[in-house]
Structure formats: C-alpha cells, structure tokens
C-alpha cells in the first residue's frame, strides 16, 4: 500500500512503525465490587511507571534543552505524589467503584478545575500540569507507549512540542503524522534533526499498525506500507547513494559560503537554544541568522530575569564571537502561547496578538529583553531583529524602547553595547509593500517565508487542508521576495532570509539571483546549500532569477529550479 502525504523532511527511512497513541476515551468507567483491589493496584503500578518515565524525561530534557526546562517534569513528579490527588483517586475507586482510568480522569479534572478558578496565575498554571499527569497515567493504564520510549518510525496523529521534546532522536528514524504541514513544529524538528518525515497523511494513519514495515520517502512525501522485496531493494540502494553523497558534501562544509565566481553569501544557522551552537559550528554555519528566543519564555510561570536572559544571549555570542549573530526579540502569541500571559481566546491567533504587537503592549517584558540583549552585545557581533513588523510606527516604537533601554543602562553604569545593528523580519506582506519606507529605519531585512507565505496566500501554515497553497515557490511569494530585495538594495542595506525556504537547496540559485546575501537555515542544510552555491555564478543566478520571475505557477517555478539543480549537480 502507498500513502501520499506532504514531504516534510527529505531523506529515506526504512523501519518498523511505532504508534504514539492518543488516549482513548472509551475506557470502562466502573468496575464490579470484586475488582476494586485490582483497580487500586493498577493505579499504583501506573504511578510507578509514570514516575520512572518522568525521571527519564527530566534527564533527556536537561541534556537537550537545559536544566530549567527539565524542572517542569520534577514538578510533575511531585504532583504525582500529591495526597489530595491520590486520595481523590483512591476514594473514587473505593466508594464509587470507578475504574482506575475514570478515577484518575475525574480527580485530575476536579483538581484542575479548582486550581483554574484561583486568582493566582501560578496556581492556574498548575491546572495544566495536573491534567497532563492525568493523561500520562491514563495512557499508561491503556498500555500505550510513551513518546520517550519510541523507536523506529514514529506514527502519530500529531506531534506536539512536548511530544517531540521527549523523543529520543538517536533511535527515532522517521516520522509520519496525520496532521501538520511543511512548517508545523514536527516538520521543522524533523528537518533540524535530519530525520525523514511525511506529514499530513490524514485518515491513512489509522491503518498503520505497530510492527508494519514502512518506507518513508521524505522527498516525495510518500509512505510505502509493507513494501515488496523489489521496492525494499530499490529504496535501500537509493538510501546508500544518498548517504555517500551526504558524506562528500559534509567534507566540504567548512569552506566559505561563496559562488564559483567568488560572490560571498553568508550561510548561517537558525537556532532555538544556546546549545544548538555546537551543532551549528560543526555543520559549518557562518553565524546565526535567527535565534528564536521563545524557548526562554516557554513553560515558565514568570518572565525570565534580565540576568538569565543576558546569560543565554551571551552564551550564543561567545560561541562565535567573530560572526554575525541575529537574535530575534520575543515572537510569542499565535501558536506559541506563553503561560505567563494566560490564555487568550482569539478567533484567528495567527492574525492576532503576537510578536511585536504583544511586546509593544507588554513593554516591561520587552524592555527587559532589550536590556539583556544590549548587555550581551559586548560579547560579540550582535544584531537585533524585530518580528512581524507591519507598520513604520511599530518599528519606530520598538527602536525608541531600545534607545530607552540603552539610556537606562548607561545611566546605571551597566556595561552594554548601544550601537547594535537593528533589522526586521519581512514576513507580513504589508512590510514588503512599504519596504522602501522601512528600509530607511533599519540596518537589514530578513525574510521569514514561513509567515510570508501564510499571510500572502491566506493559508494557515498548520492546516493540511490548504497545504497546496503553502508553497514558497508560488510566484506571488517569489515576486514579494524580489520586491523586498530591490528595496533593500536601493536603500543600501543587506537582505537575508531565515524562513524555511532559505534551507532549500533548490531555492538557492533563485535567492542569490534576487540579491540575497545571507541565507539562514536549519543546520543540517548548511553543507548542502554551500555545495549548491559553489556550483553557481552570480551572473547566471541573476539571469535565472529574471527568467523565473516571468513564470506563472509554483509548479513551473519548481520545475525550472529542478532543471537548474540537475544542471548544477552535473558540474
Ligand atoms: C518565518 O516566519 O519564516 C520565521 C522564520 O519565523 P517563525 O517560523 O519563527 O514564525
Ligand atoms: Mg515568523
């Protein structure tokens, strides 16, 4: 059987399916009197498993994302032992003969309800934690695998950030998800980890059973279920060829990003946590074009302190003191809800209160981040970037606050760097339309294609039903990139790209031809994009870009770029 989905992360994986189960709600709700003791024993056994799982998650998260993020699982362990929760579960089993699952669900819901009604933001946050614990216990009672224990090809309806954080990327070799698009969290993570992935397979995910052999073709977005010997042999051979080619490209990864005729294009990394710098340097990244600072704020009750933030930003700058490091200010809201802001019900979160809009409202939170950035600026070549700019006023307000932060620090005699270059993400079509105005007020532009495509094509980047529109090769998007680049060049400023398109080797000739001089991407793509640049000349890239601007559809553009890639590969 073959299943067509969306190609989310290239490569070929061959392995066995392991499903990440969502909890099933059709469990028995009550048991016979004679089963009460057994249900209590099941609860207590599930608790032990949960405790051990949380311990494992804590260790893994500490190693991958730092001690601070790991603490949430320590808090979960404490809540698992909480007498109020335990008494409520045991009483429901004893007094009402509830099944262990039902008792856990009721107790967790009741306590969560109580906490959610409190006036204290910290306690309200605990409501989400107790629900999470309830879900974990029910999953264990239903005999489902924990995300932390998955191996092989992970099949899930969707992978939430907490699921993906828990995956052991050493033993997970591929992803298949029912939901999601090319730029959903799980896809970005898969690409960053170099794991082939197919997303958006829809209902077909129901048919994939544990133990099925599958081939994940992350190039074509295809899943082959229980393939025949011929298909297996063919894909094994393709996989071996890919590995050999990747080894060859990796061996040249430390060379400068440059075209064959010596035109310099910086090939930088997108990072999410300071620890990513090791991988970025190893992959040959020549700096950072996007440091998403959201990680510092997620899963936290309170805003991280200025000291904490200064330390995190300094760590990144210190890792590459001679390179350009672009740190983006907080891009919260939308699909990245932050606990300390509470939950905001918005009909259209992507069009709502996020990024710079939110920061210009929570000015104290924003100012703290700006102060921390300026303090860290003494450690290297810092560039500050504001997300989601749509108006000149937003940009001017953000810059005014940055100046205020610098003046405060100067007044307090705190060491900082006041003349940090400032840029904006070009990710709202309005910013392209007024790029000639905005360029007067910035040092650089960086195009965020993930959002630029979403807002240009009016298609939710998370919604697989409109995935056909989510295509950075659409002429509308390509023309906006060209327009932004023209404005940047006319204003004498550099322009780069940090959206996912920048890491697509197919796009590189086009982007260079359109005048971009910095491409920032997931670290895995760095060697490949550099390899592509080395096969190009600037004059040729410009000619190709001019030709591509006349094409009429995404299909035509992609087809032309594939032909160009094939020509380049032969050099
Ligand atoms: C983008 O929108 O292209 C981008 C890089 O930002 P994010 O994916 O964090 O929204
Ligand atoms: Mg964005």
């Amino acid at each position: 059987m073959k299943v067509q989905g969306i190609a989310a992360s290239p490569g070929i994986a061959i392995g066995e399916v392991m499903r990440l189960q969502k909890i099933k709600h059709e469990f028995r709700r009550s048991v016979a009197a004679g089963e009460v003791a057994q249900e209590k024993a099941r609860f207590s056994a599930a608790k032990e498993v949960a405790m051990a799982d949380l311990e494992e998650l804590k260790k893994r998260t500490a190693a991958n994302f730092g001690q601070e993020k790991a603490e949430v699982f320590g808090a979960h362990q404490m809540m698992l032992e909480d007498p109020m929760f335990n008494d409520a579960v045991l009483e429901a089993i004893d007094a009402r003969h509830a099944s262990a699952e039902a008792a856990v669900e009721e107790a967790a819901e009741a306590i969560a309800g109580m906490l959610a009604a409190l006036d204290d933001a910290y306690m309200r946050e605990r409501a989400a934690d107790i629900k999470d614990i309830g879900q974990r216990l029910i999953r264990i009672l239903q005999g489902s695998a924990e995300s932390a224990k998955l191996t092989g090809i992970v099949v899930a309806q969707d992978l939430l950030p907490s699921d993906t954080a828990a995956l052991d990327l050493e033993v997970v070799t591929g992803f298949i998800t029912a939901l999601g698009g090319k730029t959903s969290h799980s896809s970005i993570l898969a690409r960053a980890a170099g794991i082939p992935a197919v997303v958006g397979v829809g209902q077909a995910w129901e048919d994939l059973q544990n133990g099925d052999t599958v081939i994940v073709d992350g190039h074509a977005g295809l899943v082959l279920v229980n393939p025949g010997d011929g298909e297996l042999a063919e894909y094994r051979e393709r996989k071996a060829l890919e590995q050999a080619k990747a080894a060859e490209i990796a061996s040249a990864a430390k060379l400068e990003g440059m075209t064959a005729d010596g035109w310099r294009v910086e090939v930088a990394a997108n990072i999410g946590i300071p620890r990513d710098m090791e991988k970025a340097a190893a992959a040959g990244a020549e700096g950072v074009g996007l440091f998403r600072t959201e990680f510092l704020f997620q899963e936290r009750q309170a805003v991280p302190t200025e000291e904490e933030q200064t330390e995190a930003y300094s760590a990144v700058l210190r890792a590459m003191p001679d390179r350009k490091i672009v740190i983006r200010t907080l891009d919260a809201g939308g699909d990245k809800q932050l606990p300390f802001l509470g939950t905001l019900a918005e009909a259209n979160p992507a069009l709502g209160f996020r990024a710079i809009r939110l920061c210009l409202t929570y000015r104290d939170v924003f100012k703290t981040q700006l102060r921390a950035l300026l303090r860290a600026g003494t450690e290297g070549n810092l560039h500050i970037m504001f997300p989601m700019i749509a108006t000149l006023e937003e940009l001017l307000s953000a810059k005014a606050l940055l100046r205020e932060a610098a003046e405060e620090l100067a007044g307090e005699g705190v060491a900082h760097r006041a003349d940090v270059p400032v840029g904006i993400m070009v990710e709202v079509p309005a910013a392209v339309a007024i790029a000639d105005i905005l360029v007067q007020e910035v040092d650089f532009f960086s195009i965020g294609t993930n959002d630029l495509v979403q807002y240009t094509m009016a298609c939710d980047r998370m919604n697989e039903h409109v995935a056909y529109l989510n295509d950075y090769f659409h002429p509308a998007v390509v023309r906006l990139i060209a327009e932004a680049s023209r404005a940047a060049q006319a204003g004498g400023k550099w322009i780069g790209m940090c959206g996912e398109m920048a890491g697509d080797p197919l796009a590189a000739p086009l982007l260079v031809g359109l005048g971009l001089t910095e491409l920032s991407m997931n670290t895995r793509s760095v060697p490949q994009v550099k390899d592509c640049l080395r096969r190009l000349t600037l004059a040729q890239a410009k000619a190709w870009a001019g030709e591509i601007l006349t094409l009429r559809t995404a299909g035509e553009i992609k087809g032309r770029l594939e032909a160009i890639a094939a020509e380049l590969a032969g050099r």
Side-chain angles (χ1 to χ4, degrees):
M1 181 174 75
K2 285 187 184 166
V3 177
Q4 183 67 54
I6 297 163
S9 176
I12 292 164
I14 303 171
E16 279 190 12
V17 163
M18 198 176 220
R19 291 170 64 101
L20 172 66
Q21 297 291 12
K22 292 285 164 224
I23 62 167
K24 299 189 280 284
H25 276 279
E26 62 273 22
F27 46 73
R28 268 199 320 169
R29 301 214 71 89
S30 57
V31 296
E35 291 173 290
V36 161
Q38 185 193 322
E39 287 307 287
K40 285 197 200 165
R42 284 181 68 226
F43 170 61
S44 129
K47 248 178 60 181
E48 253 173 63
V49 175
M51 217 29 138
D53 284 347
L54 286 166
E55 192 57 37
E56 176 66 29
L57 266 178
K58 206 164 66 176
K59 277 199 210 121
R60 185 164 298 153
T61 309
N64 289 335
F65 301 98
Q67 194 56 44
E68 185 125 17
K69 280 207 134 191
E71 273 164 24
V72 62
F73 298 112
H76 281 199
Q77 284 178 317
M78 271 164 64
M79 293 184 92
L80 196 56
E81 295 289 13
D82 181 68
M84 179 152 72
F85 174 63
N86 280 273
D87 291 350
V89 173
L90 294 176
E91 163 155 1
I93 299 177
D94 256 336
R96 289 184 282 112
H97 299 178
S99 67
E101 287 92 337
V104 165
E105 188 178 69
E106 284 165 25
E109 287 295 329
I111 295 175
M114 246 168 55
L115 292 171
L118 294 177
D119 214 14
D120 176 330
Y122 178 82
M123 293 313 275
R124 280 203 303 273
E125 257 309 300
R126 306 276 66 75
D129 288 334
I130 192 81
K131 276 192 190 169
D132 196 315
I133 291 164
Q135 303 246 329
R136 180 177 298 284
L137 284 168
I138 295 171
R139 232 193 236 181
I140 295 166
L141 285 163
Q142 295 187 327
S144 305
E146 257 304 305
S147 45
K149 294 205 181 129
L150 294 174
T151 59
I153 312 267
V154 171
V155 175
Q157 189 169 34
D158 194 12
L159 285 169
L160 301 171
S162 59
D163 290 326
T164 41
L167 291 177
D168 182 348
L169 299 176
E170 299 293 318
V171 291
V172 169
T173 54
F175 286 178
I176 303 168
T177 63
L179 304 177
K182 224 176 148 66
T183 50
S184 56
H185 291 291
S186 46
S187 303
I188 292 176
L189 181 107
R191 280 195 293 279
I195 293 174
V198 174
V199 303
V201 299
Q203 275 310 101
W205 91 286
E206 302 274 7
D207 301 329
L208 295 169
Q209 298 306 328
N210 283 343
D212 278 346
T213 296
V214 286
I215 297 172
V216 178
D217 180 344
H219 303 287
L222 202 60
V223 179
L224 287 80
V225 188
N226 295 322
D229 290 346
E231 285 170 324
L232 266 177
E234 181 202 322
Y235 269 97
R236 286 205 177 109
E237 195 182 322
R238 276 181 56 186
K239 192 172 163 177
L241 278 173
E242 274 183 9
Q243 282 168 338
K245 173 109 175 46
E248 185 198 319
I249 290 174
S251 70
K254 298 286 163 66
L255 300 176
E256 262 197 332
M258 195 170 276
T259 62
D261 52 343
W263 176 252
R264 181 85 169 96
V265 179
E266 274 173 274
V267 182
N270 289 354
I271 64 162
I273 51 170
R275 278 172 55 96
D276 289 343
M277 291 303 282
E278 284 161 41
K279 277 190 225 149
E286 305 171 283
V288 171
L290 169 64
F291 174 18
R292 293 180 163 101
T293 54
E294 289 77 63
F295 89 99
L296 274 168
F297 296 79
Q298 278 161 357
E299 292 172 27
R300 305 267 309 229
Q301 324 319 323
V303 178
T305 63
E306 186 177 313
E307 301 303 322
E308 263 177 279
Q309 292 192 55
T310 306
E311 187 39 45
Y313 308 145
S314 299
V316 172
L317 285 155
R318 276 198 295 265
M320 287 191 194
D322 306 324
R323 299 288 197 179
K324 200 175 77 202
I325 305 286
V326 181
I327 304 188
R328 180 177 72 183
T329 58
L330 183 61
D331 183 9
D335 62 332
K336 300 173 213 153
Q337 287 295 333
L338 297 187
F340 71 87
L341 296 174
T343 19
L344 192 68
E346 289 185 288
N348 294 297
L351 302 181
F353 193 42
R354 60 171 287 206
I356 198 72
R357 306 164 180 193
L358 195 137
C359 282
L360 288 173
T361 301
Y362 292 93
R363 294 173 78 84
D364 48 342
V365 174
F366 195 22
K367 173 93 80 66
T368 303
Q369 182 172 40
L370 295 174
R371 284 174 56 106
L373 283 166
L374 293 173
R375 287 176 60 185
T378 58
E379 301 275 0
N381 187 7
L382 171 67
H383 285 50
I384 294 177
M385 177 159 73
F386 300 126
M388 288 280 293
I389 294 288
T391 74
L392 178 64
E393 290 89 339
E394 284 170 346
L395 173 57
L396 295 179
S397 301
K399 282 177 64 177
L401 205 63
L402 184 64
R403 259 196 315 277
E404 222 175 280
E407 282 160 16
E408 273 180 21
L409 290 168
E412 294 160 20
V414 177
H416 68 286
R417 182 174 157 208
D419 62 342
V420 176
V422 170
I424 59 167
M425 301 240 357
V426 174
E427 54 183 343
V428 181
V432 181
I434 58 165
D436 58 325
I437 299 168
L438 297 174
V439 76
Q440 309 298 330
E441 292 293 335
V442 297
D443 297 297
F444 65 94
F445 282 161
S446 182
I447 301 174
T449 45
N450 310 342
D451 279 313
L452 187 62
V453 173
Q454 156 164 277
Y455 298 128
T456 304
M457 304 304 296
C459 76
D460 181 343
R461 65 197 253 193
M462 306 295 286
N463 183 341
E464 86 273 19
H465 299 297
V466 291
Y468 79 98
L469 291 166
N470 191 350
D471 190 341
Y472 42 66
F473 289 129
H474 192 282
V477 177
V478 172
R479 288 173 183 206
L480 290 179
I481 296 168
E483 185 50 39
S485 182
R486 265 195 295 272
Q489 291 173 66
K493 310 291 166 65
W494 65 265
I495 178 163
M497 177 180 283
C498 60
E500 290 292 304
M501 185 183 196
D504 184 343
L506 267 190
L510 170 64
L511 300 176
V512 171
L514 290 176
L516 275 62
T517 55
E518 181 237 36
L519 300 174
S520 188
M521 61 201 69
N522 73 74
T523 50
R524 292 264 169 182
S525 299
V526 167
Q528 256 182 306
V529 170
K530 281 189 176 177
D531 178 72
C532 171
L533 293 175
R534 279 196 293 276
R535 295 166 193 269
L536 276 179
T537 64
L538 178 64
Q540 197 170 41
K542 280 186 177 166
W544 280 331
E547 182 200 329
I548 285 166
L549 283 171
T550 67
L551 299 178
R552 300 169 307 165
T553 65
E556 284 179 15
I557 292 180
K558 190 157 184 229
R560 185 68 188 102
L561 289 170
E562 276 165 351
I564 290 169
E567 192 183 325
L568 293 175
R571 292 188 182 167

